[in-house]
Amino acid sequence: MKFTLSSILLLLFFLTARAQEEVSLEYYLPETSTYDNSIPKPSAVLGFEVGAWHANHSQVVHYFRTVAENSPRAVVIEYGQSYEKRPLLMLAVSSPENIRNLEAIKSERAGLRSGTANPQELPVVMYMGHSVHGNEASGVNASLLSAYHFTAASEIAEDLENMILLIDPAINPDGINRFASWVNSHRSYHPNGDPNNRELNETWPRGRTNHYWFDLNRDWLPVQHPESRGRISQLQKWLPNIVLDFHEMGTNSTFFFQPGIPSRNNPLTPEKNMELTEKIAQYHARYLDEIGSLYYTRESFDDYYYGKGSTYPDIQGAIGILFEQASSRGHLQENVYGEISFPFTIRNQFTTALSSFEAARDMRVELNQYMVDFYEDSKTEYTEDDDKAYIFGSDEDYGRAYHFADLLLQHDIELYSLEEDVNMNGVPFSSGNSFIVPLDQPQYKMIKTMFETRTEFQDSLFYDVSTWNMPMAFNLNSMALSSRILNLAEVEDVSAGIQFREGKVLGAAGAYSYAFGWEEYYAPKALYQLMEKGYQVRVTHEKFQNQLGTIFNRGTILVEKGTSDNSEETFYEDMQDIAASTGVTIHALSTGYTSGINLGSPSIDVLEQPSIALLVDEGVGSSDAGEIWHLFDQRMEIPLTLMPATRLSSADLSRYSVLILPTGNYSRIGENGVNKLKAWIENGGTLIARGAAMNWLTGNELAAFKFLSPKDTSTASQAPYANLANERGAKVTGGAIFKAKLDTTHPIGYGYPAENLHVFKSGNQFLDLSSNPFANPLVYTDTPLASGYVHPENLEMMKNKGVVQISALGSGRIIGFVDNPNFRAFWFGTNKLFLNAVFFGQTIDNASAR
């Protein structure tokens, strides 16, 4: 029988993929390596061989600490805690001398960014990030092998004199632990690989995400979570030359390493980056050839969105490399090649760690020089750029401006606070609420990617979002300036960090009433705290003016003692504390005889404290649910119930005034649940639905939303089969920004000073307008595209169509959100729409929604 190279490789794939728990450490390690016996092997600490079980996070941390205690080559760097209080750490590995001088080396590397360092003299730094997706476990388990090999292998001692490895074993500790617990709890001692096995089918929300069900591999740029903030802080200090990003993909796949699809690279990424990525790829190919593993490049994935682990480095003068290993999902699973085992997946990941090490060693000077050149080129691009700075801010809301400023500072960006009022081309920017970002700094390209708008693209397919303009996301005024402006206006350098500005109470104790506007980002947080303390709170539906001439807009909150028996002094102290912690300005009103309306007007409603249940579990979009949970729990400090959808039919719904249905399919609640939900709405409940939940409500006659279907405009009788995937993909709205018009007189629009608003859209759900014109508080404009890619047919369907719509049933309201107002926790600009639905939904006139 004649054997071809491909058949031999496939046979090797079968044999290695069947490796089981009997695997030894030698299965993974290079045959040519010898090891220092003083460094404990993983099994000596774990109690099992790597790959026999899924190591949980505490076991991984214990092993890393143990290695550091026993090796002069290593030290543990702890850089934070996850939401569930698990330590975030990495193991720095180098020569003993370098380990003793890490801080000095870190400082010297800053010269690569400023152009003052000699690329030939500095060590190369490689960051190895494992399992940002917690249920992609081959990564975190491979990190155990890397920790052992790079600290114990005798042959690499000399190489480490010019190298520093930063081995981050577990980017997502909470998700990793959730997954390891599931898999180990259902592991048989005699696995059979049946895909129907419970071990291979984890339950909602699964281990991919962090505590709040966020995909941390989309958070490298927004940095909204502690895992990301700690990691990015380290990367900005170390400036690694190579960033490895270990992932998993479908069980029937092979192994992918970058480069990805060339046409989908971000245009801000230099061509040299692709050349170096291709050069490093040759090392991966050689190493994987040696162990007979199948692999591919260039046919999947892209490097467009800078918020991913393999792409963020590309705008930092580094090389990001994505590894995607076919997943066993448990310890063994059948696939199209036969079977794939957990040890086999770990071996491939570790093998590419070895290939990356060799590439980094050989290319040290070239990689250091590339970083120097990257920042030198940025200087050249700055000089040729008509824009010299950006200014941004919000006259009415410090909170959103503060959070965007804080985001910029996470990426080592030079930033200034505006200390005097200025007017730029007719747009006012106020002192204390505005910031200036000069472009004449090393992070020029990083700044450009956060402020740019782009509507023309080389490719129409995107692995992730096609735009991420941050001023639009934060709903801030912003402008590009042709001058640095720093010498034209009074500013303060806040590059070292900023503190959230406290609010205050204007006036003394014993006031007739207290009032604060709804414009400030944390006004809902202040409102809920007042409700918790038992004070009476009301919302105004018309403007009024106090005797000092201060204008209070619709949505202003009025606070009285109500039934509270607190003294005037205690009442006042509570107001001061709440103002300080939320940033709102509270005004003491001396009389109810105000201009416009008086404080006893029928245009003012008493607000009830919302009792909120968020439906979760199978069928519900976990990321959508997690974003809502995070908004209330972390930002607004408002408790809510995470109710499994299947409990709806048996739960006492009367205890809730607000039910939230994230995008998803709720067929699991059954006919009894539908009837119960209908009765609850008819009795006055406020139901908030997102995305596909609106379709489900309509299908069950609980709401009257009407959706448009995309039309097939193709007239061709024949098309190339090879183009099918691309043509279908081009019609997917993967993530773009659109202009919408907001009715600021509607309770959903309270707190917004202008009708123009940017919304983020992902997906092809198109909502027709309600026949009741008062039920459409937010609609797309007639020229909706602001930034990003959208197929022309989809763009046409969106024009003047609904974004937020109100429906009514009995005494209750259903508030539908087509687009996600809480996208990835950084879309601060539309959070208030969602919070308005929670707090003010109870005040919406039902006649406006029928």
Side-chain angles (χ1 to χ4, degrees):
M1 182 179 292
K2 183 178 179 180
F3 290 94
T4 64
L5 176 60
S6 60
S7 65
I8 293 171
L9 289 175
L10 192 58
L11 178 61
L12 285 170
F13 187 96
F14 287 148
L15 294 175
T16 52
R18 288 184 62 83
Q20 295 295 313
E21 64 181 274
E22 296 82 7
V23 67
S24 65
L25 189 59
E26 287 70 31
Y27 170 70
Y28 302 108
L29 301 178
E31 293 180 358
T32 56
S33 296
T34 57
Y35 294 91
D36 182 350
N37 290 330
S38 67
I39 307 302
K41 298 177 180 179
S43 60
V45 176
L46 302 175
F48 55 87
E49 192 53 80
V50 172
W53 295 82
H54 284 241
N56 65 36
H57 184 256
S58 61
Q59 290 170 324
V60 174
V61 168
H62 181 39
Y63 181 69
F64 270 55
R65 293 195 191 281
T66 302
V67 167
E69 290 168 2
N70 288 275
S71 174
R73 294 183 186 177
V75 64
V76 166
I77 299 173
E78 191 164 340
Y79 60 83
Q81 284 187 327
S82 70
Y83 284 115
E84 295 176 17
K85 305 304 179 185
R86 293 187 173 91
L88 297 161
L89 54 80
M90 58 188 184
L91 190 72
V93 179
S94 189
S95 68
E97 182 179 359
N98 285 343
I99 291 298
R100 291 191 294 269
N101 295 288
L102 286 182
E103 290 304 314
I105 294 172
K106 195 188 303 180
S107 298
E108 290 169 0
R109 286 190 61 78
L112 294 173
R113 183 171 272 178
S114 64
T116 59
N118 185 341
Q120 299 185 24
E121 295 178 353
L122 288 177
V124 66
V125 175
M126 183 167 72
Y127 170 86
M128 305 163 66
H130 300 84
S131 298
V132 67
H133 297 143
N135 59 2
E136 298 177 3
S138 59
V140 61
N141 285 270
S143 77
L144 298 164
L145 299 169
S146 290
Y148 175 69
H149 174 79
F150 293 122
T151 57
S154 303
E155 290 75 13
I156 65 171
E158 186 175 340
D159 296 334
L160 289 174
E161 293 177 4
N162 290 304
M163 302 181 72
I164 295 173
L165 307 178
L166 303 174
I167 308 174
D168 192 330
I171 296 178
N172 178 10
D174 299 343
I176 286 167
N177 230 54
R178 190 185 315 139
F179 182 65
S181 177
W182 174 268
V183 173
N184 289 335
S185 295
H186 299 94
R187 178 193 186 280
S188 298
Y189 274 76
H190 302 283
N192 65 8
D194 184 347
N196 295 313
N197 196 346
R198 184 170 170 82
E199 175 193 349
L200 307 178
N201 295 278
E202 54 181 323
T203 57
W204 195 98
R206 301 170 181 83
R208 178 183 177 89
T209 51
N210 76 346
H211 176 79
Y212 286 101
W213 312 328
F214 279 78
D215 185 339
L216 290 176
N217 198 42
R218 304 299 186 267
D219 194 46
W220 291 64
L221 191 65
V223 285
Q224 295 301 307
H225 302 284
E227 300 93 338
S228 306
R229 294 171 75 89
R231 181 177 65 260
I232 294 301
S233 175
Q234 288 297 316
L235 295 185
Q236 289 299 334
K237 292 173 183 176
W238 277 106
L239 302 182
N241 303 92
I242 297 177
V243 173
L244 306 182
D245 190 20
F246 294 91
H247 287 255
E248 290 183 355
M249 54 182 170
T251 300
N252 290 321
S253 304
T254 57
F255 190 95
F256 170 86
F257 55 83
Q258 284 178 313
I261 299 174
S263 64
R264 300 180 195 170
N265 270 14
N266 194 298
L268 288 175
T269 301
E271 287 293 328
K272 183 67 173 178
N273 179 284
M274 176 67 81
E275 294 174 15
L276 292 173
T277 303
E278 178 62 44
K279 187 173 182 178
I280 295 170
Q282 305 308 311
Y283 289 82
H284 307 321
R286 176 161 51 84
Y287 270 70
L288 291 171
D289 283 346
E290 289 175 0
I291 64 171
S293 287
L294 299 176
Y295 56 83
Y296 71 100
T297 68
R298 293 179 173 269
E299 293 183 69
S300 298
F301 306 101
D302 65 34
D303 278 332
Y304 190 80
Y305 172 49
Y306 287 125
K308 299 185 300 178
S310 60
T311 312
Y312 180 82
D314 295 344
I315 196 110
Q316 300 293 315
I319 308 298
I321 298 179
L322 170 68
F323 298 122
E324 291 276 357
Q325 164 63 49
S327 179
S328 64
R329 273 293 174 260
H331 294 85
L332 181 70
Q333 184 167 180
E334 298 168 3
N335 69 357
V336 296
Y337 299 102
E339 292 176 334
I340 184 169
S341 73
F342 189 40
F344 173 74
T345 67
I346 296 170
R347 187 189 189 199
N348 279 344
Q349 300 279 34
F350 174 62
T351 296
T352 52
L354 296 176
S355 61
S356 300
F357 178 87
E358 184 177 324
R361 180 198 66 192
D362 295 349
M363 298 169 61
R364 176 180 67 86
V365 175
E366 186 176 12
L367 290 167
N368 280 337
Q369 185 63 55
Y370 170 69
M371 185 170 287
V372 171
D373 293 344
F374 177 90
Y375 289 106
E376 283 295 326
D377 290 345
S378 293
K379 289 182 182 179
T380 301
E381 290 182 34
Y382 164 76
T383 60
E384 297 172 353
D385 195 335
D386 292 335
D387 300 334
K388 300 304 177 186
Y390 290 105
I391 186 170
F392 68 87
S394 171
D395 284 348
E396 71 284 345
D397 180 6
Y398 170 74
R400 284 180 286 115
Y402 161 81
H403 280 292
F404 180 36
D406 180 61
L407 185 158
L408 291 167
L409 293 176
Q410 296 297 312
H411 300 288
D412 198 25
I413 290 173
E414 181 184 335
L415 184 68
Y416 294 81
S417 173
L418 183 66
E419 298 300 309
E420 65 172 298
D421 295 345
V422 299
N423 191 292
M424 308 300 300
N425 298 329
V427 179
F429 291 92
S430 60
S431 169
N433 276 23
S434 304
F435 296 86
I436 296 168
V437 193
L439 282 168
D440 186 12
Q441 56 175 305
Q443 290 287 56
Y444 165 83
K445 287 194 175 187
M446 173 63 83
I447 299 166
K448 292 295 284 188
T449 195
M450 287 200 239
F451 281 82
E452 75 169 358
T453 58
R454 190 184 295 273
T455 56
E456 295 182 4
F457 302 88
Q458 182 181 356
D459 201 313
S460 58
L461 275 71
F462 298 87
Y463 183 72
D464 200 79
V465 300
S466 61
T467 185
W468 47 92
N469 180 287
M470 292 298 178
M472 291 181 181
F474 283 77
N475 189 32
L476 296 170
N477 292 327
S478 71
M479 188 175 297
L481 305 174
S482 58
S483 165
R484 278 173 56 87
I485 200 179
L486 303 182
N487 59 335
L488 303 177
E490 185 178 347
V491 298
E492 178 184 351
D493 188 346
V494 294
S495 303
I498 54 176
Q499 296 294 321
F500 185 75
R501 189 177 67 209
E502 295 184 350
K504 55 188 175 181
V505 178
L506 301 180
Y512 176 86
S513 182
Y514 295 91
F516 61 91
W518 197 245
E519 292 80 9
E520 175 60 45
Y521 182 76
Y522 286 109
K525 181 178 178 179
L527 172 58
Y528 193 85
Q529 290 182 8
L530 290 162
M531 289 173 163
E532 279 284 273
K533 291 181 178 295
Y535 298 122
Q536 183 183 81
V537 290
R538 298 182 293 152
V539 61
T540 64
H541 298 296
E542 296 292 342
K543 295 181 180 181
F544 72 91
Q545 183 174 324
N546 68 4
Q547 292 183 323
L548 299 176
T550 304
I551 296 174
F552 295 87
N553 293 313
R554 291 181 175 90
T556 293
I557 302 300
L558 299 173
V559 190
E560 289 87 25
K561 284 179 62 177
T563 59
S564 170
D565 57 2
N566 287 341
S567 66
E568 290 292 343
E569 289 73 20
T570 300
F571 183 23
Y572 186 72
E573 289 172 1
D574 284 343
M575 301 295 279
Q576 288 180 310
D577 291 343
I578 290 171
S581 64
T582 60
V584 302
T585 298
I586 301 177
H587 301 259
L589 305 178
S590 59
T591 176
Y593 194 69
T594 48
S595 300
I597 59 171
N598 302 140
L599 298 193
S601 167
S603 296
I604 302 174
D605 275 330
V606 175
L607 293 175
E608 296 181 8
Q609 182 174 351
S611 176
I612 310 165
L614 172 67
L615 268 61
V616 297
D617 221 331
E618 293 295 344
V620 177
S622 59
S623 61
D624 203 44
E627 288 157 353
I628 297 166
W629 180 21
H630 177 270
L631 174 66
F632 283 85
D633 197 42
Q634 284 290 319
R635 295 259 173 82
M636 299 300 159
E637 299 181 8
I638 296 173
L640 47 68
T641 297
L642 303 179
M643 180 191 292
T646 51
R647 286 191 59 87
L648 189 141
S649 60
S650 60
D652 177 11
L653 297 186
S654 65
R655 65 184 294 162
Y656 308 108
S657 58
V658 177
L659 288 179
I660 302 174
L661 276 62
T663 189
N665 186 323
Y666 293 86
S667 59
R668 291 164 61 92
I669 73 171
E671 184 178 353
N672 185 42
V674 171
N675 292 334
K676 194 168 185 178
L677 187 58
K678 180 179 181 181
W680 176 85
I681 299 170
E682 289 176 334
N683 287 331
T686 299
L687 189 146
I688 302 170
R690 239 285 296 150
M694 298 169 64
N695 299 82
W696 180 83
L697 289 169
T698 300
N700 285 276
E701 300 181 350
L702 296 175
F705 302 122
K706 181 181 178 182
F707 298 95
L708 304 174
S709 299
K711 297 176 182 177
D712 185 2
T713 58
S714 175
T715 58
S717 59
Q718 186 181 45
Y721 178 78
N723 295 347
L724 175 62
N726 285 351
E727 288 201 12
R728 292 179 65 185
K731 294 186 178 182
V732 173
T733 308
I737 303 172
F738 298 92
K739 294 175 287 186
K741 179 180 178 181
L742 178 66
D743 177 5
T744 59
T745 73
H746 194 287
I748 292 296
Y750 287 174
Y752 288 90
E755 65 177 20
N756 301 316
L757 190 63
H758 289 104
V759 299
F760 184 87
K761 184 175 189 63
S762 176
N764 289 352
Q765 185 184 44
F766 304 108
L767 177 66
D768 202 359
L769 295 179
S770 170
S771 58
N772 186 333
F774 301 104
N776 303 305
L778 185 65
V779 299
Y780 300 114
T781 67
D782 55 3
T783 56
L785 181 61
S787 185
Y789 171 80
V790 61
H791 192 277
E793 293 176 10
N794 294 339
L795 181 63
E796 193 64 32
M797 290 185 67
M798 294 172 60
K799 294 179 179 180
N800 300 307
K801 294 301 186 288
V803 184
V804 178
Q805 197 170 108
I806 318 299
S807 185
L809 188 64
S811 300
R813 298 95 176 156
I814 303 101
I815 304 172
F817 288 80
V818 170
D819 299 330
N820 186 356
N822 310 308
F823 182 67
R824 292 183 182 170
F826 77 90
W827 210 267
F828 281 74
T830 49
N831 285 160
K832 186 157 289 179
L833 297 173
F834 199 82
L835 292 162
N836 287 353
V838 170
F839 283 101
F840 303 148
Q842 59 187 280
T843 73
I844 296 174
D845 191 327
N846 273 15
S848 70
R850 298 193 186 283

